[in-house]
Amino acid sequence: MTLRIDITGLPSEHVRFATSPLAELTAMLHVLAEPGHHPRLADWAADVWAGLAPELAERLRESEFLWRSSQADFLLPARPRPSLAEELDDVDRIDDETYVTAALITTCGSNRVPLAVPSPLTDATARERALDLAQARGPRQEAFVERLLADPAAVRARVRHSLELCAGAFFDAAWAGVAVQLATDLRVKNDLLKRQGLAAALASVSGALTLAPDGDHITVDKLQDKATAAHGSGVTFIPSVFGSPHLAVVHTPGWQPVVQYPVAEPNPPVPVSLETVGLRLEALAHPIRLRLLRTLARGPHTTGELAHAWELTAPEVSRHLAVLRRADLLTAQRQGRYIRYTLNLPAMTTLGTDLLSAVLR
């Protein structure tokens, strides 16, 4: 499962790396809504909530529909501006149908979005579907959607004002605190893009991003099965400090692709691919392989030793060892005419972390 961005024939100048105040504010709002996703920022989130005026706190809770489960596409600008106000002005230029349809996409777990999505403002079935989904997420979200569908102009104005209030409450200070880090990251990415090309720039963004050998598409290693195209408009990459560990992508047809990526930490770990995580989970799902791992956890063993220990045939053990090796859960070392297998302890130790990283990515 991957997300594919088609860039066939895209001029190099249409690949942009830029910072976005609105995208970073959206990342901060997601942290406030889901601090469990961001344990290193839990203290920051607690301090912000403690210092918020009650009215703003309620405003953020009523609008979290826009950034909790997934970010509304208009919150990740394709053409970032220097200031939050300018980016909010761009959002104001979006028509009501586009705004509402984007606002009501409440989860990142759906399949490919169809090319023509009926507007809940004009289509009764789409309206009922939107209300049903909102109702399932609780009374506050249901009330927000009801107001949005009844009077989109009023709700849009209220959301904008809420975001503007965030500036003085916490955003301006937090933005100033990460500005140097974001600017440094941009210099690195743009220099790589200019000197070594897109493949090198993508590699520095994340190990989850790769350029196809023929250069016609970008693959994002995410638990999604989706595709989009950057023809004409281009693709924008936005660094984020508060977005880590998420790799957010705007992929809806009709919207320019945007990738918001976590700013790299010093010596960042290379992410384990979804394919490898899947192979490891599959390998561990068999009781015989778990028994073999139990023995290998105590030290290196040959196929014959494992067969004797568990009263299995050597070919049967070999088949199970092959599955474990494909999942990189074992290492093998030849000693004379024997091959001894050893448990890959680092891979086993980080399996839970790797799985969580793949899910949150």
Side-chain angles (χ1 to χ4, degrees):
M1 297 179 72
T2 58
L3 193 158
R4 173 181 169 135
I5 304 173
D6 189 343
I7 58 170
T8 303
L10 187 70
S12 59
E13 62 269 20
H14 287 190
V15 177
R16 307 177 187 89
F17 284 85
T19 56
S20 164
L22 179 56
E24 194 67 358
L25 172 56
T26 300
M28 294 178 192
L29 292 171
H30 175 73
V31 171
L32 293 177
E34 289 284 5
H37 290 185
H38 311 268
R40 286 177 294 180
L41 294 170
D43 290 343
W44 174 86
D47 289 343
V48 170
W49 279 119
L52 285 182
E55 180 190 358
L56 179 54
E58 179 56 28
R59 279 172 170 265
L60 296 185
R61 292 189 179 99
E62 76 181 25
S63 302
E64 69 177 15
F65 204 77
L66 299 174
W67 51 72
R68 181 165 199 154
S69 296
S70 64
Q71 292 84 3
D73 287 341
F74 54 76
L75 295 175
L76 298 179
R79 295 185 177 275
R81 308 290 188 183
S83 70
L84 178 62
E86 290 172 287
E87 293 186 324
L88 292 176
D89 287 343
D90 287 342
V91 174
D92 286 345
R93 297 185 184 99
I94 300 172
D95 64 80
D96 283 347
E97 289 191 3
T98 301
Y99 184 101
V100 170
T101 301
L104 299 185
I105 296 177
T106 60
T107 174
C108 66
S110 57
N111 290 325
R112 287 189 178 94
V113 179
L115 289 175
V117 180
S119 168
L121 293 178
T122 57
D123 184 271
T125 301
R127 179 187 181 89
E128 289 304 311
R129 176 61 174 163
L131 289 170
D132 287 345
L133 289 173
Q135 186 178 50
R137 291 184 173 271
R140 183 179 282 116
Q141 285 73 27
E142 182 181 14
F144 174 82
V145 172
E146 287 176 346
R147 292 194 302 273
L148 181 62
L149 294 175
D151 191 352
V155 172
R156 292 179 64 166
R158 183 172 174 82
V159 168
R160 171 167 182 153
H161 187 44
S162 298
L163 297 178
E164 290 171 334
L165 291 174
C166 291
F170 63 88
F171 173 72
D172 286 348
W175 179 250
V178 301
V180 172
Q181 194 172 355
L182 293 173
T184 300
D185 183 85
L186 280 187
R187 283 195 297 273
V188 171
K189 300 299 188 293
N190 283 311
D191 184 67
L192 282 170
L193 183 63
K194 179 180 178 180
R195 297 178 182 277
Q196 299 183 38
L198 182 56
L202 292 178
S204 71
V205 167
S206 169
L209 287 174
T210 54
L211 181 65
D214 58 4
D216 69 343
H217 68 272
I218 298 168
T219 298
V220 187
D221 191 44
K222 287 175 66 73
L223 276 169
Q224 295 175 326
D225 181 20
K226 300 180 180 179
T228 186
H231 300 155
S233 58
V235 58
T236 300
F237 294 89
I238 301 174
S240 173
V241 172
F242 282 82
S244 179
H246 303 307
L247 192 63
V249 184
V250 173
H251 55 78
T252 309
W255 292 79
Q256 178 181 321
V258 178
V259 179
Q260 185 186 39
Y261 63 91
V263 171
E265 303 171 2
N267 303 314
V270 177
V272 176
S273 71
L274 290 172
E275 180 183 8
T276 298
V277 172
L279 286 173
R280 289 175 180 173
L281 293 175
E282 183 180 355
L284 295 174
H286 199 291
I288 290 180
R289 290 195 281 272
L290 285 176
R291 292 169 188 164
L292 296 177
L293 289 174
R294 176 180 172 83
T295 301
L296 292 169
R298 288 158 173 75
H301 287 72
T302 66
T303 301
E305 289 174 322
L306 292 169
H308 177 75
W310 291 104
E311 299 182 348
L312 300 168
T313 66
E316 187 176 7
V317 171
S318 293
R319 287 194 296 271
H320 286 298
L321 292 178
V323 173
L324 292 168
R325 289 192 69 184
R326 281 197 298 272
D328 197 27
L329 293 174
L330 299 181
T331 59
Q333 184 177 11
R334 177 174 292 278
Q335 294 180 342
R337 65 190 184 93
Y338 295 103
I339 298 177
R340 297 189 179 275
Y341 296 92
T342 303
L343 181 65
N344 184 348
L345 283 174
M348 290 291 292
T349 302
T350 62
L351 181 59
T353 302
D354 294 338
L355 174 59
L356 181 60
S357 175
V359 170
L360 292 180
R361 187 158 66 228

